[in-house]
Amino acid sequence: MRGPAWRALLLVLALALADAAAGRFVVEKNSIQVTSPDELKGKYECAIGNFGVPQYGGTLHGWVKYPSTNQQGCQSFDDISFKPKKAGGRPNFVLLDRGECFFTIKAWNAQNAGAAAVIVVDDKSEPLITMDNPDEGKKHLENITIPSVLITKKLGDQLKKSAEAGEMLSVLLDWRESLPHPDERVEYEFWTNSNDECGPKCDMQMDFVKSFRGTAQVLEKKGYTQFTPHYITWYCPEAFVTSKQCKSQCINHGRYCAPDPEQDFSQGYDGKDVVVQNLHQICAFKIANETGKPWLWWDYVHDFALRCPMKDKKYTHDCASDVIKSLGLDVEKVNKCVGDPDADEENEILKVEQDAQIGHGKRGDVTILPTLVINNRQYRGKLDKVAVLKAICSGFEETTEPAICLSEDIQTNECLDNNGGCWLDQANNVTACKDTFRGRVCECPIVKGVKFVGDGYTHCEASGIGRCEISNGGCWQDTKDGKTISACSNEESEGCKCPAGFKGDGVKSCEDIDECKDKLFCQCKGCSCKNTWGSYECSCGDEKLLYMREHDTCISKEGTTTTVGWSFLWVIFFGLVFAGVGAYTVYKYRLRVKQLRLSQSPLYPLVFTCKRSHVGLDLLVITMMVIHLVPA
């Protein structure tokens, strides 16, 4: 019963999947650059294997070895070692032919013989495909730690021909652009399943959840990542909705289905139980996300696997509710989100999940469980904490990675070797080298709020306010006799300028100007000049005289105050006299003009009378002006 029933369900699901496949499968690629021989130099595409540990964000340079026997790598290389002959030597990559055995067996045998990577040559002239891992061979899946790539038959044949001719083959495997890295936050999805009885792959994904949980939660809490869990479901074709298989494997009248956990319809849990628990996990994430704690999903999945396993017959709604309560999530909201599995209607949550399975943009369909999607690209390789973290770290824009990505376990600090070839101020321990997961960058730093500008390789200079506080802004500075002189000014955002009394470029040197020798100052009669550092001293020959620096002259000490005082008073006195005479002259002139005008007026007799009566002449003039202004 188990065999025929299971095959029948597989047929049903295959039909459903074929009908729904509006998307496509996308082969994730990295590049392989042939550096020798000369006739093959160039960059080519290769497909990343869905096992092992691709060096996301990095490169690997090595020699290519094509074995004379066991060229498909299906047997162990007992008599061959691919390890470098000397310590520190360049690693060796094994070139193998496709066919006869699983890709994972080829990689496992090559790894055991000391190979640093496996390059598999396709045996057909076709577009690149993804080398997948089989359901069998859990030992290989867990223990393969080297990267594997697939190249086209054309390139492979050329490489094999050169190897057989005795030429040295050197290639660079490059994963730096395998994942997009646009900004300071990585968005990733984990496509998984609540089923814990599906064999090695279920064990693998649960081991990953346990080991990666803490790291994922830290990244999420600090805003470095945005994580979303997903679950694959299929629907049952309408013609099979009433069949026993679909009824036991689907909910909501055949709309959402999952395979039987034990592949036996007569015992244990059914596929519909898996769909319901998947829905619980999605809803737990939804409610946790709404409360600002999306990272609780990792705790829920971890605790549910420990507390509610299928083998203990605890894979139930009640057990799930207990886990939800223990994490402080609202059980009623989760239950409302789950809805009624028996209802003949769509479940909005699972409908979204089905739509998300279909590829969009540069991301292909999600057809394999478990699957990680990082920055909208499917991750290929081992589901391992360190391997996945490396892939996530490669998704950050350079210099924005969290500290965990720069730890020694994850990557090598290239700034430790010759400062990465970047600018360095040894005296102040300031460097332009910035270590990133994808490699170092030479970028002028910001130190104590002061930004340095320059090319980052040969030159960096402090700029802006406060720049003189750091390395004196890169300007000249010297101290003599307790006096410090600097060519840096915080009033200027950049540049160096020797201060008054000095000449030079302001960067390397500022030379004292000899004002006495150059006859720039102290040229008064009888004056004596003495040069000082940055200035000069001038004195008068006679002790009774005082030198005035502003006017470069000597004046008498004895009568200085009195002379200056009387001179100032005489200036004021004569100024007042001249002002009075001028005012009187103007007054007399204006008075004569007014009299002349009045003498021509018919009212002049009145004026004469008023004058004899001692009436103010100015008042009378004003009166006459008013009369003349009033219209008739």
Side-chain angles (χ1 to χ4, degrees), residues 104 205 299 484 499 630:
T104 52
Q205 67 180 352
D299 291 328
T484 300
V630 176

Side-chain angles (χ1 to χ4, degrees), residues 48-64:
I48 304 174
N50 204 33
F51 53 88
V53 183
Q55 302 296 318
Y56 281 104
T59 61
L60 191 60
H61 205 174
W63 303 109
V64 176

